[in-house]
Amino acid sequence: MLRKIRTILAAVFFVLVTLLFLDFTGTLHHWLSWMAKIQFLPAVMALNIVVVIALVLLTLVFGRIYCSVICPLGVFQDILARLRRKKNKYSYSKEVRWLRYPMLVVFIIAGVAGIGSLFQLLAPYSSYGRIATMLFQPLWKIGNNLLAILAERADSYAFYTVDTWMRSLPVFIIAAITLVVLVILAWRGGRTYCNTICPVGTILSFFARFSWFKIHFDTDKCKNCSLCSKNCKAACIDFKTHTVDYSRCVVCGNCIDSCKFGALSYSKPSGKASKTSDASKIDTSKRSFLLASALVSTAALAQKKEKLMDGGLAELEDKVAPERQTPLTPPGSLSFQNLSTRCTGCQLCVSECPNQVLRPSSDFMHLMQPTMSYEHGYCRPECNRCSQVCPAGAIKPVDKDEKTSIQIGHAVWIKKNCVVLTDEVECGNCARHCPSGAIEMVPLDENNEESPMIPAINEAACIGCGACEYVCPSRPFSAIYVEGHEVHRKI
C-alpha cells in the first residue's frame, strides 16, 4: 500500500511539474507555478520560511518523502531505474561519506563565493529544469508543430506552430551530460545520485534520521532472504544486521512490497529499541554544524541580488547580439546582482517566456542563469510571466501596470548602422514601435528641410523593452540597441 500511494503521488507531481516546463502557451503557470515554489532549494533562496519549515516537518514525520514524491529529479531517477527490468538488482552498500559531505561543502562554498555555475550544477530541481527545458521542450514543440501542420491541412486551427531554436549550446551540452550521468547512475545503482551528489538530499538526511515514521524490522519474522536489500534503490538496508540507514532511505516502499514474510513495516517507533546501522550513527554535532552552515549560507545568498535574461517575441532575420556593457535583467529582478545571487538556474522563466527574450547565459560565472536579448523578439510591456513563475525570488512578482514603469535599461542609437544614413531611405521603425513613446524622429540637420529623419531618444522615458532593437531593419547589427542598468529604476 505504501508503495502504491507513493507511486501515485510521485507520478502526479512529476507529470505536472514537467508540463509546467513544457508549456509554451502561458496557461498552465496560473495553476501549476506553486509546484516550483515548494521545491526545497528555491524556497530557501526565496526565504519562503513557511515552505522550508513545512518540508523539514514533513521529513521529521515521514522521512525523505520529499525526495521520492516532490523532487522531479528524484522521481525521474526512479523512472530511469525502472527501465532496467532486472529483478533483485540492488544490494546494500555503506554510505559514501567521503563524497557525500564534501559535495555539500562544495555546494555551500560555491553559493557563498558567487560561483553560480557550480552552485546551479549541483541543485537537483535546477538540473531537472535544464533537462526539461533544453531537451524535452524542443521535442514537445516539434510534436506540436507537426500536429499544427496536419491540422492546417484539415482546415483546423486547434494548434499553431511555434519557433524552436537553440537558446544556448553550452547549457544544452550540460543538460545532455547531466541526463547521461543520471541514466548511468540510476541504471546501475538506483538512487546513487541522491545519496552521494545531491546537496538537498544530504541536508534532508540530517532530519530523516530522526523521522517519526520509519521502516522497521520484525526480527522474529525475518528469514534473511535478502529480498529487501535487493530491491532497495537507496542501498540502505542491511538484511544481515536488520538495520536501515534512515539518512539515505527515501521511503519508496519497495522493501515492504518485496518482503514475503511481513517482516518489514513503515510505522512509528515501538516499545522495542530499533537497530540502526553504523552509517546512521553519525556524530550529531557534526551534522548540526553542517546543517546550520547549509541553511545560513543559502539564506545569506538570498540577501544579494541577481543576474541577466534574454529576449524575443516577433520574428525577423537573424541578428547578431550587441555587446552590452551591462547585462539586461527582466523587470522584477531589481538588479543584475540580485538575479545572479538568488537564481538557481532552473530555466523555468526561460521555458515560460512567450517572447523568446530569455535564454541561459553563456558567461562562465553565471552560466545557466537567464539573460535577455532581443534578436528573436522583445519584452512586451503587458507580459509578466517570468515574474509569476520564478520560485527562488530572483524575479519578484510585478503586475502589468507596474512593469511599464520599471526601467531595466535605455536605448542607444548607433549612427553608422542606421539605414536612414547608410541606404538613404526613410525608416522610423524604432519610433513607431516604441510602446513608451521614448523615441521620436527628428531631422539630422535642423536647417535643412530635406534632411533625413533620425531617432532621438528620451532616456528618462525609455523602459528598455527592446522593441526598437528588435524591429530595427539594420543587419547584422541593429542601429539601436538597449544597454542594461545594473540597478533598475522607476520612471
Side-chain angles (χ1 to χ4, degrees), residues 328-383:
L328 285 165
T329 63
S333 60
L334 306 180
S335 68
F336 173 80
Q337 182 62 34
N338 181 62
L339 182 63
S340 61
T341 300
R342 288 193 179 179
C343 180
T344 62
C346 71
Q347 308 303 308
L348 183 56
C349 60
V350 175
S351 67
E352 286 284 340
C353 179
N355 306 314
Q356 304 190 64
V357 170
L358 296 176
R359 66 199 67 180
S361 170
S362 298
D363 175 49
F364 176 76
M365 293 299 292
H366 306 96
L367 192 65
M368 298 176 283
Q369 292 184 342
T371 183
M372 296 179 79
S373 197
Y374 302 129
E375 290 75 60
H376 294 268
Y378 67 99
C379 188
R380 297 193 173 233
E382 71 275 12
C383 176

Side-chain angles (χ1 to χ4, degrees), residues 275-311:
K275 296 182 181 180
T276 56
S277 69
D278 292 336
S280 65
K281 297 177 182 177
I282 299 173
D283 184 358
T284 57
S285 62
K286 183 183 293 184
R287 284 177 176 261
S288 299
F289 170 76
L290 289 172
L291 174 61
S293 299
L295 294 180
V296 170
S297 299
T298 49
L301 294 174
Q303 299 300 325
K304 297 185 186 178
K305 319 220 158 172
E306 307 185 321
K307 194 190 167 229
L308 21 87
M309 304 188 64
D310 236 271

Side-chain angles (χ1 to χ4, degrees), residues 315-461:
E315 294 184 87
L316 301 173
E317 295 180 37
D318 289 342
K319 290 186 178 183
V320 175
E323 294 185 7
R324 309 180 205 273
Q325 295 181 359
T326 303
L328 285 165
T329 63
S333 60
L334 306 180
S335 68
F336 173 80
Q337 182 62 34
N338 181 62
L339 182 63
S340 61
T341 300
R342 288 193 179 179
C343 180
T344 62
C346 71
Q347 308 303 308
L348 183 56
C349 60
V350 175
S351 67
E352 286 284 340
C353 179
N355 306 314
Q356 304 190 64
V357 170
L358 296 176
R359 66 199 67 180
S361 170
S362 298
D363 175 49
F364 176 76
M365 293 299 292
H366 306 96
L367 192 65
M368 298 176 283
Q369 292 184 342
T371 183
M372 296 179 79
S373 197
Y374 302 129
E375 290 75 60
H376 294 268
Y378 67 99
C379 188
R380 297 193 173 233
E382 71 275 12
C383 176
N384 62 348
R385 199 186 303 177
C386 61
S387 75
Q388 299 298 314
V389 301
C390 179
I395 308 174
K396 304 291 186 183
V398 294
D399 58 38
K400 296 178 181 179
D401 292 334
E402 182 184 5
K403 180 180 177 181
T404 60
S405 66
I406 299 175
Q407 188 182 61
I408 64 173
H410 65 274
V412 178
W413 180 57
I414 307 297
K415 181 178 179 179
K416 65 179 181 179
N417 294 339
C418 188
V419 295
V420 172
L421 302 178
T422 59
D423 298 346
E424 297 182 354
V425 296
E426 293 184 2
C427 184
N429 269 9
C430 53
R432 284 193 297 271
H433 292 86
C434 178
S436 61
I439 303 176
E440 63 175 324
M441 302 302 290
V442 299
L444 178 62
D445 184 356
E446 295 181 355
N447 299 319
N448 183 358
E449 294 182 357
E450 298 182 357
S451 175
M453 304 295 283
I454 62 171
I457 302 165
N458 180 359
E459 292 187 7

Side-chain angles (χ1 to χ4, degrees), residues 78 81 114 132 176 214 277 321 382 428 483:
D78 291 344
K214 296 177 179 177
S277 69
E382 71 275 12
E483 186 61 52

